[in-house]
Amino acid sequence: MPALTNTKSIDCASDPYTWEGLTGWKSYRTLRPFRGMYWDVRRRAPWYWSDIRDGLNYRTFVGTVRIFFINLLPAIAFQLDMTRGTHGYFGINEALFSSALAALVFSTMSCQPLTVVGITGFISLFNYTVYAITEQCGIVELYPQFIAWVSIWAAATHWLTAICNWCDYMRYITDFSSNAFGFYVGVIYMVKGFQEMTALYVESTPEAGLMGAIIAICYFLSIILLESVASTICFTPGIRKFLSDYAYVIATIWWTSLSHFPSHIYDSGILRVPYTPAFYPTIDRRPWLVDFWTLPVKWVFVALPIGILLTLLFYYDHNLSSLTAQAKQFPLKKLAGLHWDFFLLGCTCFIGGIVRIPLPNGLVPQALVYTDSLTEYKDTLHKSKEQDIEPASDKCVHHNRKVVCATLVREQRISHFLMALALIGFMTGPLLDVLHTIPRALFAGVFWAVGWSGLVAMNSTQNLCFLLSERKYADPADPQLGVSKGGILYYVFYQMLGVGFSLGVSFTRAAIGFPVIIISLIPLRWILLPRIFTEHELLVLDAPTADAGVVLASMGGRPTLPEVRMMEEKRSQQDGNGEMGEGSGSGSSSENAQGMRSRDGFKDEGEKELERERSEEQTRLGVPSTLRTGHG
Amino acid sequence: MPALTNTKSIDCASDPYTWEGLTGWKSYRTLRPFRGMYWDVRRRAPWYWSDIRDGLNYRTFVGTVRIFFINLLPAIAFQLDMTRGTHGYFGINEALFSSALAALVFSTMSCQPLTVVGITGFISLFNYTVYAITEQCGIVELYPQFIAWVSIWAAATHWLTAICNWCDYMRYITDFSSNAFGFYVGVIYMVKGFQEMTALYVESTPEAGLMGAIIAICYFLSIILLESVASTICFTPGIRKFLSDYAYVIATIWWTSLSHFPSHIYDSGILRVPYTPAFYPTIDRRPWLVDFWTLPVKWVFVALPIGILLTLLFYYDHNLSSLTAQAKQFPLKKLAGLHWDFFLLGCTCFIGGIVRIPLPNGLVPQALVYTDSLTEYKDTLHKSKEQDIEPASDKCVHHNRKVVCATLVREQRISHFLMALALIGFMTGPLLDVLHTIPRALFAGVFWAVGWSGLVAMNSTQNLCFLLSERKYADPADPQLGVSKGGILYYVFYQMLGVGFSLGVSFTRAAIGFPVIIISLIPLRWILLPRIFTEHELLVLDAPTADAGVVLASMGGRPTLPEVRMMEEKRSQQDGNGEMGEGSGSGSSSENAQGMRSRDGFKDEGEKELERERSEEQTRLGVPSTLRTGHG
């Protein structure tokens, strides 16, 4: 295994965990339990020592500080939301406990220490929707027991999923659904920001509410500004990196300090994070353990479908977080293990359920940020010359350009573990007092900042921006030019359909069912889209979300995309007929066929080779995520 | 004269109004009164009919709407400030009357209808500083008569200046002082924005104050966003132009409407522009005419030096506004007339003084915007190819780029005249009611937007940004690379010294003396700077503000810059000695000398030719203002 460390890109095809070439009962994933988990551990175990050793560098510190802030702040933000929605059943201490538990378990025992597990908006949405349902059913006093059983069922189905190797199916997820999901999450975050802001207005005086709104707006703008410094050529590389690495820290300290400014600002009486006694559950000093065994059997079974829905949500959300944290744009060397981690997630669900804390799962928008903060980037100077073609000119203009390259990711467990310790630290009295100094309004800003950075990264947003811009000024190398405006619009339309429906149900009792909508985008992509779009169009517009070799190894290798299979079939038919044929009759389709023919040289080497080539082409065509350029 | 219409750049050297080659008493400007005014009128009169005819197009409408908003809104904003500072001596009606009077006079009678005259921050500063002085002298009840006499003296000195052709000296103003002045104006605007915001907080409830602050921030951000659309490739050229042309209109209508939104926003009770009776002076329904003849003679003479200070301010401020409105970046065809216009300004000072309205003069930050809105721009597609040199690569990357070219300026009087009519319209009852619907907080946003757009355009800001950025990523064609960082810093330092002193006195009783500080930068530039910097450095860092042929014609032609004269002298000395010499001994100086030698071919054609060449070189080196590029 360590031989792989030196290869530039990890090749999942050589991994022993594969289902290809298997026949009979051996090819059924469900019939061979624990196979994925076994290989996950075997694959990752050799790296364990290096996960600790590699933690001894500056990036670990940056990673710890950054992830601590962007894990803790939204967790508290969602907690405030959840407290409102469940009449105080969940509080700050529960949020800290949950985050700390997850961080401890996943930093020490997971196969993917880069995946950060914490409190998401969905568990908040989920908890208060279930609360509303129990209220409607008149069993609101049984809510703790009921939600405990939901969690127990969820834990059981998590374990089942992990044991039966079902996490393999994550490899079929493409940007079509994952970016629609990301877009939906971004919108939810933005909306939550406004909800938090208006809640403050209602819960305190209008003066305090408006002062809070100003702080929230300024906080949001500061984060955007500080993070954008990295892509400029201002200051020195060190200062640029410092400002963007610690954007949340700087903004949080600055605006919290300012909110304590004497006179008008302090006197406005803005609300702050509530005080809670250290280590105790937030309300009524109950014991941590819930007496879940007292729930009537009838309700235990009502909890089952809800538990399954929760598993469905976590299956998608948590694994997507893992994929994002280990995306292809990062030069990762250590292999992933989705099955084992999902089993662990089942364990935290179980523990979380019986002590009644919000269940933690993988954070999606934060995943990218955390791995990014552990990545060593290098600014290099690229010189180029530019010559006008139209209007023609002999004069050459020279450019200096800053090109940022990701050279190395500090893959380790230390920063994750340190974050866990910091979270436990914040459960103690003195640090809870520190939390209390933060104005609640700041969390509206946190929602906006996290939501905004998620939204702009989604392909839906980028496609919409492309549609809004004048095509003639687009970069000639832009692959989107290969697709008609209508085609892009059509693709985005289907995504927005999913987003729209999900948003629609989010604000109703049916909210817990929203994972079904997002997941239904996957078959839509696999069955309907290849029939609407040509292979080339899908190559430009869509890509498998699980694109890095390190994660594909844990999922049994790279799947064949349906449009590729369809083209293959068509081609072999044509080869059989010995003639060109009309294809689907459209010009772009025959152009595609030609594109395919030019690849014929590789055909003997089998389908696998073709897939690899396709993946390379995608890298070339796709947004070069590892290269962030700033014009000099 | 009309033959000039077809030449690409107006040549001021052929203008009959010149002082070159004159000797004896004829070369003294003061001894030949009315010469400048006579030639101004003769030069401009032939264009009068075309000034009306050229107004029959869409740009006139855009210009009218845009200048109306950015003239009226700051005027009201300053008025609110002035009302506070003079205990109500000046009100909305005075502001409207003053703006309307100036617009009527200057749109119909001026030589430079592009110069928009209105209420500036300085007249506000001036009026309330004089008020404070009269308060201190115990003659506050004589304030109207005193300020009337100040205005009368100012009018007299205006006339004297115009008659004696002293406006010619404006040609010695370089960006060194004019950009320091612009920077100072920008800072004052930003500060006024904050003052307006805090004033609202104090004058109304904290709730209303904070709601106002949110509106101000959002208004400012909307303007910035809308105006930036023009440089993007979003939407179509028509929509882009629409959004940026009407940025103030859209933002004002939007945020005013939102401030009337029922429930929390409306109920917060934000202050709005005060109601006033139509056509009457704001307070005590006094007659418009001030009984200035009742002022004791002693105070009449005290008013004299203050009047001269006012003339000094207007001399700089008004003429700078004319130069900005007719800057080189605009392809102007019609010639200017500074002397005549300054005489007219004396007339408005006189009228304004005796009816006690704030005295109007040329608006500086708005000048650029107005001419810009009358300019026809054309977006063209430029194609280029780019090749990496370091690291070397054979691959060519193709770029599409949007290049915006100014093709034509609709130079006419109609939009200016229509603005005058609109201002008069707003003095009537129903439209005063419309004004009353605007929340006062919006004016804080107006201050920020106008101040911000002024600040970013100044060379001080651009130099500071350059100093903050990493030099190695700078564009190799950037002329600033030819000057050391220390050199740039030193240049900016002197400018900031002027700005700092001006700001320092602005908040004291000595505020009325600040024009002296700004004007003292001019001799500093002409005497000290050529001894500190090399000719090349000054060529990069500094340029005459009066750079367009159309305005230089009215000032007796282009002056020889002192560093050029010094180099010339040095060169002729060297030529006389027949040897190279050591120059000032520094490497850059000898490099300069070589640069000069390469121009020797032109020497026979005289100094004028050299100057013209220098001006061309400046155009090449300077920021290409007519070309605003957006990357495709």
Side-chain angles (χ1 to χ4, degrees):
Chain A
M1 203 80 52
L4 285 174
T5 14
N6 296 325
T7 61
K8 266 197 88 172
S9 143
I10 307 296
D11 185 8
C12 57
S14 59
D15 198 84
Y17 177 69
T18 176
W19 300 90
E20 260 176 62
L22 299 180
T23 50
W25 72 270
K26 281 194 164 188
S27 70
Y28 290 99
R29 285 178 169 79
T30 314
L31 297 183
R32 299 178 70 185
F34 295 104
R35 189 163 177 244
M37 284 171 67
Y38 168 76
W39 280 109
D40 280 354
V41 175
R42 255 203 77 172
R43 200 182 295 115
R44 188 73 194 195
W47 299 103
Y48 203 88
W49 172 234
S50 83
D51 276 349
I52 295 164
R53 201 182 46 211
D54 291 352
L56 306 174
N57 65 73
Y58 173 65
R59 278 287 123 206
T60 305
F61 178 72
V62 176
T64 308
V65 173
R66 199 152 170 201
I67 192 59
F68 176 70
F69 270 78
I70 63 165
N71 183 358
L72 179 72
L73 294 179
I76 295 177
F78 284 123
Q79 194 57 56
L80 295 170
D81 195 35
M82 225 185 303
T83 310
R84 254 198 313 279
T86 62
H87 291 97
Y89 266 103
F90 294 97
I92 296 297
N93 289 7
E94 279 84 355
L96 289 171
F97 186 5
S98 168
S99 300
L101 170 76
L104 269 184
V105 168
F106 279 82
S107 67
T108 53
M109 289 194 278
S110 81
C111 280
Q112 302 165 139
L114 292 182
T115 305
V116 181
V117 178
I119 294 173
T120 63
F122 296 114
I123 197 65
S124 155
L125 181 73
F126 186 85
N127 279 348
Y128 65 65
T129 310
V130 171
Y131 184 84
I133 292 172
T134 55
E135 235 177 3
Q136 215 162 21
C137 299
I139 53 153
V140 73
E141 72 288 350
L142 290 177
Y143 176 65
Q145 290 82 355
F146 186 74
I147 200 90
W149 269 103
V150 169
S151 308
I152 293 168
W153 285 122
T157 39
H158 270 71
W159 292 328
L160 186 71
T161 307
I163 291 167
C164 295
N165 314 312
W166 292 343
C167 286
D168 279 4
Y169 297 115
M170 278 305 288
R171 64 188 190 150
Y172 294 113
I173 287 175
T174 65
D175 288 348
F176 179 69
S177 66
S178 66
N179 278 253
F181 178 71
F183 196 88
Y184 164 68
V185 173
V187 174
I188 285 282
Y189 267 69
M190 299 305 279
V191 173
K192 285 273 165 242
F194 284 102
Q195 282 183 346
E196 186 63 34
M197 206 172 85
T198 44
L200 286 174
Y201 189 88
V202 176
E203 287 174 31
S204 59
T205 61
E207 186 189 350
L210 292 170
M211 184 64 88
I214 295 176
I215 290 179
I217 294 171
C218 293
Y219 181 85
F220 169 63
L221 293 177
S222 325
I223 297 274
I224 298 284
L225 193 74
L226 286 169
E227 291 201 325
S228 71
V229 170
S231 63
T232 66
I233 57 163
C234 287
F235 317 113
T236 64
I239 298 175
R240 281 202 292 271
K241 197 85 188 112
F242 179 83
L243 291 177
S244 64
D245 276 345
Y246 299 108
Y248 279 88
V249 187
I250 298 168
T252 305
I253 292 177
W254 172 266
W255 292 107
T256 301
S257 310
L258 208 90
S259 76
H260 288 272
F261 215 73
S263 174
H264 297 309
I265 303 179
Y266 188 80
D267 297 346
S268 68
I270 36 178
L271 293 185
R272 296 172 194 278
V273 174
Y275 270 117
T276 43
F279 295 114
Y280 276 94
T282 305
I283 51 162
D284 59 35
R285 297 198 164 232
R286 62 165 176 93
W288 279 106
L289 189 68
V290 175
D291 49 346
F292 60 91
W293 50 87
T294 60
L295 189 72
V297 180
K298 174 186 146 197
W299 292 112
V300 170
F301 284 97
V302 171
L304 174 62
I306 301 181
I308 292 174
L309 277 177
L310 189 61
T311 301
L312 216 55
L313 167 64
F314 278 14
Y315 177 79
Y316 195 90
D317 199 17
H318 179 83
N319 286 323
L320 189 60
S321 161
S322 295
L323 299 186
T324 314
Q326 301 171 98
K328 196 167 191 166
Q329 72 216 63
F330 300 111
L332 293 171
K333 301 224 160 66
K334 300 181 183 176
L335 294 156
L338 271 78
H339 308 282
W340 174 262
D341 277 23
F342 204 64
F343 187 85
L344 274 190
L345 194 67
C347 300
T348 56
C349 280
F350 184 80
I351 304 170
I354 62 171
V355 302
R356 210 228 304 139
I357 55 177
L359 304 189
N361 81 315
L363 306 170
V364 169
Q366 289 95 328
L368 209 60
V369 179
Y370 178 53
T371 312
D372 183 70
S373 67
L374 296 178
T375 307
E376 303 275 9
Y377 287 103
K378 209 179 141 211
D379 290 5
T380 48
L381 173 65
H382 278 221
K383 292 182 176 184
S384 64
K385 60 177 182 189
E386 191 176 353
Q387 194 176 357
D388 277 1
I389 305 175
E390 197 185 308
S393 151
D394 289 336
K395 219 171 60 185
C396 265
V397 181
H398 287 256
H399 292 293
N400 289 344
R401 203 181 299 274
K402 188 186 81 170
V403 176
V404 185
C405 287
T407 53
L408 177 74
V409 181
R410 302 289 183 181
E411 299 178 66
Q412 37 75 35
R413 292 170 190 276
I414 304 293
S415 54
H416 200 161
F417 185 71
L418 290 177
M419 181 191 77
L421 296 185
L423 287 168
I424 294 170
F426 264 82
M427 292 176 73
T428 61
L431 291 178
L432 275 177
D433 286 354
V434 170
L435 274 190
H436 170 72
T437 61
I438 302 177
R440 271 180 54 185
L442 207 110
F443 296 102
V446 172
F447 277 128
W448 290 333
V450 176
W452 179 259
S453 64
L455 276 181
V456 293
M458 292 303 118
N459 71 1
S460 330
T461 318
Q462 283 155 2
N463 282 333
L464 286 173
C465 285
F466 181 80
L467 286 175
L468 278 178
S469 67
E470 266 193 290
R471 214 175 166 97
K472 67 173 175 178
Y473 297 121
D475 205 306
D478 193 335
Q480 284 171 307
L481 285 173
V483 187
S484 70
K485 277 210 170 187
I488 299 175
L489 196 63
Y490 209 37
Y491 177 84
V492 176
F493 168 75
Y494 275 107
Q495 286 187 306
M496 289 301 122
L497 216 62
V499 173
F501 272 109
S502 304
L503 283 175
V505 300
S506 293
F507 302 104
T508 68
R509 290 290 133 79
I512 47 171
F514 96 91
V516 179
I517 297 171
I518 286 291
I519 288 181
S520 70
L521 284 177
I522 305 172
L524 186 76
R525 162 67 177 92
W526 283 75
I527 298 164
L528 193 63
L529 260 60
R531 285 167 176 79
I532 296 173
F533 296 97
T534 63
E535 193 211 358
H536 177 74
E537 284 173 341
L538 282 179
L539 188 68
V540 170
L541 294 173
D542 203 19
T545 303
D547 54 357
V550 287
V551 287
L552 285 167
S554 168
M555 297 189 283
R558 196 183 292 276
T560 311
L561 288 169
E563 63 272 20
V564 176
R565 207 168 44 227
M566 282 166 67
M567 279 312 295
E568 283 291 281
E569 280 164 17
K570 199 181 285 170
R571 192 150 50 97
S572 59
Q573 259 183 12
Q574 285 167 4
D575 286 357
N577 297 346
E579 58 185 10
M580 181 53 205
E582 272 297 306
S584 69
S586 79
S588 65
S589 155
S590 75
E591 182 193 305
N592 257 308
Q594 281 170 8
M596 296 301 285
R597 252 184 298 132
S598 72
R599 297 187 198 157
D600 274 4
F602 298 94
K603 205 194 160 188
D604 338 299
E605 293 174 63
E607 203 179 357
K608 211 180 277 181
E609 191 62 38
L610 185 67
E611 276 165 32
R612 203 168 305 150
E613 193 216 353
R614 184 194 147 90
S615 125
E616 274 160 25
E617 190 170 352
Q618 269 169 350
T619 320
R620 190 176 53 74
L621 284 172
V623 185
S625 323
T626 39
L627 297 181
R628 296 182 296 181
T629 53
H631 281 265
Chain B
M1 202 80 51
L4 284 172
T5 13
N6 297 324
T7 60
K8 267 194 88 175
S9 142
I10 307 296
D11 187 8
C12 57
S14 60
D15 197 86
Y17 177 69
T18 177
W19 300 90
E20 261 176 62
L22 298 182
T23 49
W25 72 270
K26 281 195 164 185
S27 69
Y28 292 99
R29 286 178 169 80
T30 314
L31 297 183
R32 299 177 70 185
F34 296 105
R35 189 164 177 241
M37 285 171 65
Y38 167 76
W39 280 108
D40 281 353
V41 175
R42 255 201 78 169
R43 201 183 293 114
R44 187 72 195 195
W47 300 101
Y48 202 91
W49 171 234
S50 82
D51 276 349
I52 295 163
R53 201 182 46 212
D54 291 352
L56 306 173
N57 64 74
Y58 173 65
R59 279 286 122 206
T60 305
F61 178 72
V62 176
T64 308
V65 173
R66 201 153 170 199
I67 193 59
F68 176 70
F69 270 77
I70 63 166
N71 183 359
L72 179 71
L73 294 179
I76 294 177
F78 285 122
Q79 194 57 58
L80 295 169
D81 196 35
M82 224 184 304
T83 309
R84 254 199 311 281
T86 61
H87 292 94
Y89 265 104
F90 293 97
I92 296 297
N93 289 7
E94 278 85 355
L96 288 171
F97 185 7
S98 169
S99 300
L101 170 76
L104 269 184
V105 169
F106 279 83
S107 67
T108 52
M109 290 193 279
S110 81
C111 279
Q112 304 164 137
L114 293 182
T115 305
V116 180
V117 178
I119 295 173
T120 63
F122 297 113
I123 197 66
S124 155
L125 181 74
F126 186 86
N127 280 347
Y128 64 68
T129 310
V130 171
Y131 184 83
I133 292 171
T134 54
E135 234 176 3
Q136 217 163 19
C137 300
I139 54 152
V140 72
E141 71 289 349
L142 289 177
Y143 176 65
Q145 289 82 356
F146 185 74
I147 200 90
W149 269 103
V150 168
S151 309
I152 293 168
W153 285 122
T157 38
H158 270 70
W159 292 327
L160 186 71
T161 308
I163 291 168
C164 294
N165 315 310
W166 293 341
C167 288
D168 278 4
Y169 297 114
M170 278 305 288
R171 63 187 190 151
Y172 295 112
I173 288 175
T174 65
D175 288 348
F176 179 70
S177 67
S178 65
N179 278 254
F181 178 72
F183 196 89
Y184 164 69
V185 173
V187 173
I188 285 283
Y189 267 70
M190 299 306 278
V191 172
K192 284 273 163 239
F194 284 102
Q195 282 182 345
E196 186 63 35
M197 205 172 85
T198 45
L200 286 174
Y201 189 88
V202 176
E203 288 174 30
S204 60
T205 62
E207 187 189 348
L210 292 169
M211 185 62 89
I214 294 176
I215 290 180
I217 295 170
C218 293
Y219 181 84
F220 169 62
L221 294 176
S222 325
I223 297 272
I224 298 284
L225 193 74
L226 285 169
E227 291 201 326
S228 71
V229 170
S231 62
T232 67
I233 58 163
C234 287
F235 318 113
T236 63
I239 297 174
R240 282 201 292 270
K241 198 85 188 113
F242 179 84
L243 291 177
S244 63
D245 276 344
Y246 298 109
Y248 279 87
V249 187
I250 297 169
T252 304
I253 292 178
W254 172 267
W255 292 107
T256 301
S257 309
L258 207 90
S259 76
H260 288 272
F261 216 71
S263 177
H264 297 309
I265 303 178
Y266 188 79
D267 295 347
S268 69
I270 36 179
L271 292 184
R272 297 172 193 278
V273 174
Y275 270 118
T276 42
F279 294 114
Y280 277 94
T282 304
I283 50 163
D284 59 36
R285 299 202 163 229
R286 63 167 175 92
W288 279 107
L289 189 68
V290 176
D291 48 348
F292 60 91
W293 51 86
T294 59
L295 189 73
V297 179
K298 172 186 146 197
W299 292 113
V300 169
F301 284 96
V302 172
L304 173 62
I306 302 181
I308 292 175
L309 276 177
L310 189 63
T311 301
L312 217 54
L313 168 64
F314 279 12
Y315 177 79
Y316 196 89
D317 199 20
H318 179 82
N319 286 323
L320 189 59
S321 160
S322 294
L323 298 186
T324 315
Q326 302 170 96
K328 196 168 191 163
Q329 72 215 62
F330 301 111
L332 293 171
K333 303 225 160 67
K334 300 183 184 175
L335 294 155
L338 270 78
H339 309 281
W340 174 262
D341 277 22
F342 205 66
F343 187 85
L344 273 190
L345 194 66
C347 302
T348 56
C349 279
F350 184 80
I351 303 170
I354 61 170
V355 301
R356 209 229 305 142
I357 54 177
L359 303 189
N361 80 315
L363 306 170
V364 169
Q366 289 95 327
L368 210 59
V369 180
Y370 177 53
T371 312
D372 184 70
S373 67
L374 295 178
T375 307
E376 302 276 9
Y377 287 103
K378 207 178 142 215
D379 291 4
T380 47
L381 173 64
H382 278 220
K383 293 183 177 185
S384 64
K385 62 177 181 189
E386 190 176 355
Q387 193 176 358
D388 276 1
I389 305 174
E390 195 185 309
S393 151
D394 289 338
K395 219 169 62 186
C396 264
V397 181
H398 287 256
H399 293 293
N400 288 345
R401 205 182 298 273
K402 187 186 84 172
V403 176
V404 185
C405 287
T407 53
L408 179 73
V409 181
R410 302 290 183 181
E411 300 177 66
Q412 36 75 36
R413 293 170 189 275
I414 303 293
S415 53
H416 200 159
F417 185 71
L418 289 177
M419 182 193 77
L421 295 185
L423 286 168
I424 294 169
F426 264 82
M427 292 177 73
T428 63
L431 291 177
L432 275 177
D433 287 354
V434 170
L435 274 190
H436 171 71
T437 61
I438 302 178
R440 270 179 54 184
L442 207 110
F443 296 104
V446 172
F447 277 129
W448 290 333
V450 176
W452 180 259
S453 64
L455 276 181
V456 293
M458 291 303 118
N459 71 1
S460 330
T461 319
Q462 284 154 2
N463 281 332
L464 286 172
C465 286
F466 181 80
L467 286 175
L468 279 178
S469 67
E470 267 193 289
R471 213 174 167 98
K472 67 172 174 178
Y473 297 122
D475 206 304
D478 193 335
Q480 283 172 307
L481 285 172
V483 186
S484 70
K485 277 210 170 190
I488 300 176
L489 197 62
Y490 208 39
Y491 177 83
V492 177
F493 166 76
Y494 275 108
Q495 285 187 307
M496 288 301 122
L497 217 62
V499 173
F501 272 109
S502 305
L503 283 175
V505 301
S506 293
F507 302 105
T508 67
R509 289 290 134 80
I512 47 170
F514 97 92
V516 179
I517 297 172
I518 286 290
I519 288 181
S520 69
L521 285 177
I522 306 173
L524 188 76
R525 161 69 178 90
W526 283 74
I527 298 163
L528 193 63
L529 260 59
R531 283 166 178 80
I532 296 174
F533 297 97
T534 64
E535 193 211 358
H536 177 76
E537 284 173 340
L538 282 179
L539 187 68
V540 170
L541 293 173
D542 203 20
T545 303
D547 54 358
V550 286
V551 286
L552 284 167
S554 166
M555 297 187 284
R558 197 184 292 278
T560 310
L561 288 168
E563 63 272 20
V564 176
R565 205 169 42 228
M566 281 165 68
M567 280 311 296
E568 283 291 280
E569 280 163 16
K570 201 182 283 169
R571 193 152 51 97
S572 59
Q573 259 183 13
Q574 285 165 6
D575 285 357
N577 297 345
E579 58 185 9
M580 181 53 204
E582 273 295 307
S584 69
S586 79
S588 66
S589 155
S590 74
E591 182 193 302
N592 255 308
Q594 279 168 10
M596 294 301 286
R597 252 183 300 131
S598 71
R599 296 188 200 157
D600 275 3
F602 296 96
K603 206 195 159 188
D604 338 296
E605 292 173 63
E607 201 179 359
K608 209 181 278 181
E609 190 63 37
L610 185 67
E611 275 164 33
R612 202 169 304 148
E613 192 215 354
R614 185 195 147 91
S615 127
E616 273 160 26
E617 190 171 349
Q618 270 170 350
T619 320
R620 187 176 54 73
L621 285 172
V623 186
S625 324
T626 38
L627 298 181
R628 296 182 297 184
T629 52
H631 281 265

